[in-house]
Each structure stands twice: as C-alpha cells, then as structure tokens.
Amino acid sequence: MPFISRIWNALRRRRINDEIDEELRFHLNQRARELERQGLTVQDAQRAARLRFGNPDLVRERGLDVKVANHFSSILRDAQFGLRLIGKAPFFTSAVVCSLSLAIGVNTAVFSLLDTVVLKPLPVEDPESLVFLTFPADSASQSRREIDYFSYPVFRELRDAGRPFVDLFAMAYQGRGQVIFEENPAEPEKLYAQWISGHALPLLGVRAAIGRTLTAADDRAAGAHPVAVISYSLWERRFARDPNIFGRYVRIPDPEERSYEIVGVLQRGFTGAEPGILTDIWVPCSMWSTSALRNANSNWLRIWGRMKPGVTKQQAEAVLQPVFTAFRRTYAGGARVGSAPDAFERHINAPLHLRPAANGPSMFRKTYERPLWVLMGVSGLLLLVACTTVANLLLARGAVREREMAVRISIGAGRGRLIQQVLVECAILSLAACVMGCVLARILVPVLVGALDTQLYPVGLPTTLDLRLLAALIGFGLITTFVFGTLPALRVSVSDPNASVKRSMRSSFGRAGTSRWFLVAEVCCCCLIVFFAGLFLRSFQKLSDENLGFDPKGLFVAAVDARDAGVDGPGKAAWHNLRTRIGRLPGVTSVSAATFALFSGSGWTRNVRVEGRPTEAEPVHFLPVAPEYFKTMTIRLVAGRDFTELDLQNQAPRPVIVNAAFAKRYLDGALAAGQRFEAVDHSGATEALTAIGVAANARYDSVRHPAPPTVYVPFPGGASGALLIRSELGPSSLASILRKELPRAHPAFRLGEIHAQARLVSDSFARDHALALLSAVIAAAALTLAGLGLYAVLSYAVARRTRELAIRIALGASRPHAVRLLVRDSSVDAALGVGIALLLGVVLAGFVRPLLFDTRSSDLASLAIPAACVLFCAAMCSFPAALRAIRLAPADCLREE
Amino acid sequence: MSKMDSLHGALPVMVLKLLLRGGPLHGYAIATKIEEMSEDVLSVEEGSLYPALYRLEENAWIRAKWVKTENKQRARLYEITEAGRRYLETEEKRWHEITAAIVGVLKRA
C-alpha cells in the first residue's frame, strides 16, 4: 500500500531524510574512492564524483517527494505547532474543550436514545420488507388512533387468506411477570415474556445462538408445546453462558403458572421486536390460555407480515380486507347494540392497513418519538451555542494572534497554509472534545434512560456504543470543527498584513476582533433553549399541581395474588378478613380494596344503556371497589351512600356508585333514588345496575384529561386484587408487615409489588417529567456556555480598548460613560438575539404543542421569563469586564503602553 | 536533457533485471553495472537513479535493507520482490515488442 507507507513515512520524515542523505553519501564516497584508485587526487576525485552524480540536494528532495506524503506531513507539522500553542494557554484550552465536550456528549447521548427508539432498524433479516397490521379506532374522539392488536382467530383467517402475498405471523403484547428459574427458585426475576406464532422467528430471520428457535412445529395444538427460547443477554446474565442449558425449565406465571423447557438461545443482540422493551423469553402462542385462543373478541396479538418479493402493500391489503370485514361482521358483539347504523357500518368496514415495521412497532416510540426529536433539536441548539462560544473565544484570541499571522503572510506563507493551520488547531480541539464527549455520553445515557423509566413498565433500551453512534459522534465533531473553525480561518485568510501590523503598532480603536453575528446567534440559540425548557417546566408544574379528585400522598397500593385458591380466589369472607386485619394494624389509617388501582395502567370499559336515551358509542370506565374505598381514597361522596358489606352479595340489579361526570352525562346531573341502567359488554351480554350514590370526580388513568364518566361496582374479591392502604408507614415496613399478615387472613394470599399511589400518578406523566428535567439541564448548560462566551468577548474588548478608555477617561469622560461605551454593542446584540429567539420560538412551538399541558407558548410568562433569564445572565457576565473598566487607572495604563 | 531522462521508462526495467540476475545490490553498484554493461553508452547522471529506486520501492517491486560494509559504512542493499519479478516479466515482454516494432519501422522506412 504505497499510500499508507507514504503517510507512515511522513510521521518519520526526519529519519527518512537522514537515510537518504546517508545513502547518497555512500554513493559519492564509493565513486570518489574508485576515482582515487584510478589516480586522481582526493579533492579531484570528490569533485568528479559530485559532477557525475548531479546535485545531491535536488536528488534528496525528489526522493522525499517519492517517499513521503508531503501534504500530510505539513498537516502533521501544523498539529505539532497547534499542540504547542494549546499547551501554552491551558485555561483557554480547557474552556474550549469543556464547552465542546459538554455539547458533544449531550448530543451523542440524546442521539443514542433517538436512534435506538426511532431510527435504528430491527436487528433482523431485511427489516424493510416487514409490515404490521393496523386499523383505525372506532370512536370519533380518537379517530386518528390506530389499533394494532387482534384476536387469535382473526389472525388465523388473515394468515391463510394472505399467504400468496404476505407471510403473516403473530407476536403478542409482552407480558411482564415474575419468572422462576428451576435451578434457583429463591431468586425469581421480573422479565418480559412474549407469545409468538410458530413462524415468527424463522420469518423474522432470527437465528439461534445455540440450540434451536421456535418453529411452526411448536405451535400446532393448544397447550401442547411447553417450550421456550431465551435471549442471549438472559443466557449471559442468568446462566453465565452455560452450554448445557437445554432441558432446564423456567416457570412463567401467565396466563396460568406453568413450566417451559428451554430449547434454545437466540442470536446475540436480538432483544425483541419492540423498541422500549427488552424481551427475554419467547414461548409459542399455542401456550396462551385456551379460552383466549378461541375468543374472537380477546385482542392480544400484533399481526406482523413479511411481504413476498414484488408484491405491493395495496395488493396485500386488497386480499386481506374482505376477510377482515367478514370477520368483524360475524363477531361485532357489543358494537352492534344500539349503535347508530352508520357507526356500526364504520365499525365493520374499518380499513386494514399494512404499516412498515422496519424499526419495530412500539408503544414506547408512540409516546417518546416527538419528545426525543424535541430533545435532539434542543441539544442541536446547545451544540450551536457551544460552537459560537468557542468561535468567539477563538476569534478573540485570533485578534491577539493577528500579528503572528500577518508576519507569516509577509514572509511568504500561502493563505491556504494559514487556513489549514487554523483548521488543524480546531480539529485538535474537536478531537479532544469528542473523546471527552464520548465519555460524557456513556455516563449520560443511563441517566437519560433512568429519566424515562417508570415503576410499572421499566424501559429497556439496548443502547450500546455501535458504529452508528460512533459515526454520529464523529459527525458532531466535524460539524463543530467547521462551524467554529471556519470563521477564524477565513478571518486569517483575508487579513491584510500591512494594515494589521500597522494597526497593532497603534493599538486598535473600535470593536474587538469578534463577530457580532456570532454573539447574536449565540444569545438567540441560548434563549430558544431556555424558552422551550420554560414551556416544558411550566407544563410539568401544572400537571403536578393538577387536582386529581383524591389525595395520592400517603396512599399505598399492594398487589395481592390469590390464584393458589383457584380461578375465583378464596372468596368474599377471606377478602373481608384481610381488609379488617390490615385496618387494625397500627399506623394504618384506612384500608380498602379494588380489582386494580387508579393510574395502575389497567382499565375496564363497558358501554352503558340508560332507559329512554340513545346508547352512546363512547364506553364508560368501570372499577370494582370494596367498602370504605371512597374514604381511603379521600374521594368525596356527593349524594347517596357508600357500599356496605351487604352490597357485596350477588344481587340484581347490582348496586353501583357513579361519579359526577357520569351523573351529568347520563342522569341529567341528579341522582334519582334507585336509578336503573344497563351495562353492555363487548360480547353483547348485559347487566342491570342501580345507582345508590354519586361520588366526586376522580381521575382514572390520566392527569391530562378530565375525569371520565366512571361507575364503581362492588368488589367481592377474586383471584387477584389491589389493597389500598392509607398509612404513615414507609413502603418497606409496610411490605414486611403485609407479608406476615396476608397468609394469616388466608393461606392463598401472596403479596405482589407495593407502589406508592403518588408514584403511579407521577409515572403517568413520566414523559413530561423527563422532558422538563432534561430540557432544564440543557438550558442550564446553554446559559453557562453563553455566559462564558459573552464574558470572553467583553474581557477581550476591555483588554484591547484599555488605551482608548484610558485616554477618554483622562480627557474627562465619566466612568459610567466609558462602561456604557464598552457594553453598548453587546447589549444591543443580546437584545437582538433574544428578540429573534422569541419570534422563532413562537413559530416553532407548534411542534411541541401536543406535548404541553395547559401551557400556551405565546403568553407573557412563556416569553418574558426566558428573555429575563438570558438578559440577566448576560448582565452578570458583563459585570467583571465593566468593573475592570470602572477601576481603570488612566495614568497607569498609558504608562504601560 | 540528461541521458537518464531519455531512459525514463527503461531504467526501472533495467534495474529490476539487474537485481534479478545479480542479487542484492546497492545503488552505486547498480549505477556502475548499467554503465559497464551498456559499454558506457548509457552512462548517466548517477543521482537520477535514486528517485527511480524509491519509486520501485514504494511500489513494493523491490525491498531494501541496511547492511554494514567492510569499512564500517552503512550501505542500502536492494533486492527484487515476487511482485517485482512478475512486473519485470510483463515489462520485459513489452520492451521487446516495442523495440522490435521500432527496429522494424526503422528498417522499412
């Protein structure tokens, strides 16, 4: 490789030079000795040898041209020179490198997340030809939402119909459960398991690292294939890559607890097909509960497909649509009941879409795609702030170096070489910043992922330092080099040596060597970041302050599992016993139970039919609760009475308590005693209900939306439930007490996880918390950097204009006037920057509006606070420079000159 | 124009051929041998030999090593490589064809 050896030679140019010299000297000596032998004198022989040889200097230069990549070697010399200069100014250098590495680190970390969640294709074969099926939601309020879960029967019909065009396979929604490993049952682990159809892994093109994958043979008969494959990372983590893993068993609690034999480990790097969730165990669909496999209304699968070559999506959709429509007509169920005819037709004819699945359909992405883009944009602005800050620092220093450059031009240095010199220096700084930024990013990524995490659904993102990330890092480094380096470089190339030497003789008047537009841009980017951070902070503040209708503080939710007593649980008496026992414990104020807690991610909706009214398509939220629920939750009862133990008996019509929103919408706002209505399930079954009370509104699962119409029905107990405990105890002491108390109430009761209700509520807007927190951190960084830049600009201005100021003061100018003179330009620039930023902010706010809660981008607080913040920061940073100007002793300055 | 320049294309071929026949040689020996063998017709400005040698070396057709001579001087010895042998083979053929063609033209013109 001539090219590489030439670059290698460039690194040891001096040595090559010496070697050539030595070789040529050897030649000349040999020749001279030969000529001496022929009778010439020593001097004559040497002269003749020289003559025959030609000019050795010329030969050496030509030799070097052949051997050494000269351009490279000039870059190398620039780098050496640059390093020496950088070493001479350690404070300046560390300011520059820290600024850049902060920005590069933040950008790389955010990009790493964005890439993992949004951009990166799945680690499977040919991800571009993968699709998944969706159809639009019925309800008018959510018309743009697309549903992507289906029942097993419809999957089988669609798969058979689509076969000539697209190979369909099913992957269930991941379930997270306590998985028990046979060899160490004492240490169960909460893992995501996924039920998949037999063809899924072969069609995805996922191979086994050892053993085998699941195939169609594992998915024939319901309940007959208790086999599982596990992820490479689980194999590493839990089994230390033991090759003898086959034949071991794992116990998975859902849908009913049973053991699965491990038959393989999947290829390294495959962590499931849904970004945001790290799946560790896959089992065949046929092992899901038999009743759900047959139930056409039990929707628990995503349907994926691999397009056959040359088939268009339209062709495949055209084949699948009639099957889907016919299926929906057959199993319309509850949707048929009382719905308006056109609504029913719309339900039946919901258009089926094939959506690209190259990067994996993901719930997590639905929530976080936009926030991540926003964060990426804000980080990009931070990068610009850092670049402009550094450019200003460099320009200010460039002004100091103007004379050096002028001298070099005067003695014949090409301008190209000088530009190269400046760019090489910038590249060295960028390189150092990239290395530090990379370290910073590695620290930041787990922090970012942690900020997105919630208790119920841990976020799993396989963020690793891969080639894509490295490319991004290098990209950020290059951008910074060119953005902050180009202007100083150009400044050098146009500098007029004559004028510059003369000027430095006279000490300059007027502006320092910094660019006004860089200052404006810097303030503008910084203000824009603060503007967005302000929006997210206020939005988060409002969400936190929102009145929920109940007090989540001091309230704990303990999951209780009683499946050991059978599908129906241990019965009413046991649950009653449990509640009374817990209620008597010291430190417990009040206790109740429900099927699930508010904000727990669970929900139950049914349609409601009230006599004499058209049935509404919008379903109503239901929640089974035990007596004392309202007292424990601190939900006020507006009318009627609470449930008593007697209400838990099975009776028809069932007594229920409705909330105010329900009463307003369905009962004309007032509760007539014994008001009757009917609940209609999706299957079409109805249940008669009678309202015995009205409770105040309480949020069900979202802080963003007002409390939905809700019906509370009596909770008699079951195979599982949630204990709601208002207590002053901490969660850990509560857990240890409950662990003892539960089996005393009934041996089948087992304690699941304990959550603070407040955490469940705040987790429901974890996205807003993350966005506010991260944008605030970025804003703080931006303010610091911009402040540093401004400080540098003004300090240099003072340094350069000392003489001018001294003369002015000596001639009688007041000191405040001198300071005004100094900061006038930069204050105008800062104000201009803020103005542009606010204008841009209002325009760009449209993109973040869907993320905001009750926060307008154009009101006074949104605009004034960031402006005040940035201007205050600017003022603080100008202060030292102004102080120096005020303290200036004119006589001393002039004497120094 | 120096004589070596007029030999521009031929010099590498001659050097390679010499190295193939004569084993490792230093630059001085190569220059003398070319002169001797061509009966001084191709006596050259010897310095021009070196850039040509370096070019051959960069192309990996020859490789060099330093050795100590009897009088304690270091000499750089050149040796043909396998790639050099192959290159020489094709180049030699080309030269024969070209010279034959030139001779043919000179005879018949």
Side-chain angles (χ1 to χ4, degrees), chain A residues 535-581:
Chain A
L535 290 182
F536 296 132
L537 278 170
R538 286 180 62 214
S539 167
F540 172 65
Q541 184 67 44
K542 290 205 164 158
L543 281 168
S544 313
D545 291 349
E546 191 71 2
N547 181 12
L548 302 170
F550 63 90
D551 180 15
K553 282 192 210 74
L555 187 64
F556 294 94
V557 178
V560 176
D561 187 338
R563 274 181 297 184
D564 288 357
V567 270
D568 293 326
K572 278 189 285 285
W575 281 93
H576 179 223
N577 190 9
L578 178 64
R579 277 187 285 118
T580 358
R581 269 179 169 279

Side-chain angles (χ1 to χ4, degrees), chain A residues 559-847:
Chain A
V560 176
D561 187 338
R563 274 181 297 184
D564 288 357
V567 270
D568 293 326
K572 278 189 285 285
W575 281 93
H576 179 223
N577 190 9
L578 178 64
R579 277 187 285 118
T580 358
R581 269 179 169 279
I582 308 276
R584 279 202 295 262
L585 290 174
V588 172
T589 323
S590 166
V591 66
S592 183
T595 306
F596 48 86
L598 297 179
F599 288 88
S600 62
S602 302
W604 178 28
T605 59
R606 304 159 99 182
N607 285 80
V608 161
R609 188 160 55 195
V610 180
E611 204 63 47
R613 285 169 175 270
T615 310
E616 300 203 25
E618 209 64 44
V620 170
H621 288 74
F622 276 68
L623 178 62
V625 301
E628 301 227 310
Y629 178 82
F630 299 97
K631 181 183 159 209
T632 310
M633 295 295 288
T634 63
I635 299 173
R636 205 161 44 85
L637 276 176
V638 181
R641 59 172 182 86
D642 191 1
F643 292 126
T644 62
E645 301 297 336
L646 283 175
D647 292 321
L648 303 187
Q649 311 299 328
N650 280 330
Q651 45 187 307
R654 195 132 67 126
V656 299
I657 295 173
V658 300
N659 73 349
F662 182 93
K664 188 171 171 207
R665 184 134 133 232
Y666 292 91
L667 311 177
D668 298 322
L671 174 70
Q675 171 78 51
R676 299 266 186 112
F677 55 97
E678 270 183 336
V680 186
D681 282 324
H682 294 291
S683 57
T686 63
E687 187 186 17
L689 306 172
T690 174
I692 60 164
V694 177
N697 284 336
R699 306 298 168 91
Y700 191 88
D701 56 4
S702 161
V703 183
R704 282 192 136 75
H705 304 106
T710 309
V711 176
Y712 300 94
V713 300
F715 169 70
S720 70
L723 272 181
L724 304 161
I725 303 162
R726 190 165 285 284
S727 160
E728 57 239 26
L729 298 173
S732 51
S733 47
L734 198 60
S736 61
I737 296 173
L738 287 180
R739 202 159 286 128
K740 268 182 260 151
E741 284 300 317
L742 254 57
R744 287 185 196 152
H746 190 282
F749 283 133
R750 265 191 296 164
L751 182 66
E753 287 177 328
I754 294 189
H755 296 291
Q757 179 75 60
R759 176 74 201 264
L760 293 181
V761 171
S762 66
D763 275 357
S764 77
F765 50 90
R767 181 186 75 180
D768 306 81
H769 177 240
L771 202 52
L773 178 74
L774 299 177
S775 62
V777 169
I778 294 175
L783 279 174
T784 315
L785 291 184
L788 179 71
L790 204 61
Y791 171 77
V793 168
L794 284 169
S795 299
Y796 276 106
V798 172
R800 283 176 60 100
R801 295 173 73 176
T802 307
R803 191 181 152 117
E804 177 201 346
L805 291 172
I807 293 175
R808 280 176 192 273
I809 292 170
L811 290 179
S814 71
R815 278 160 200 269
H817 177 78
V819 172
R820 230 176 5 253
L821 200 69
L822 200 62
V823 299
R824 188 184 54 205
D825 290 338
S826 37
S827 346
V828 170
D829 293 349
L832 192 62
V834 168
I836 297 174
L838 295 183
L839 274 177
L840 273 176
V842 172
V843 174
L844 293 175
F847 184 70

Side-chain angles (χ1 to χ4, degrees), chain A residues 174-179 190-193 253-254 455-458 753:
Chain A
Q174 284 88 345
R176 198 170 132 76
Q178 198 88 5
V179 174
K190 275 219 142 189
L191 294 175
Y192 277 107
D254 300 306
Q455 262 190 342
L456 286 175
Y457 301 102
E753 287 177 328

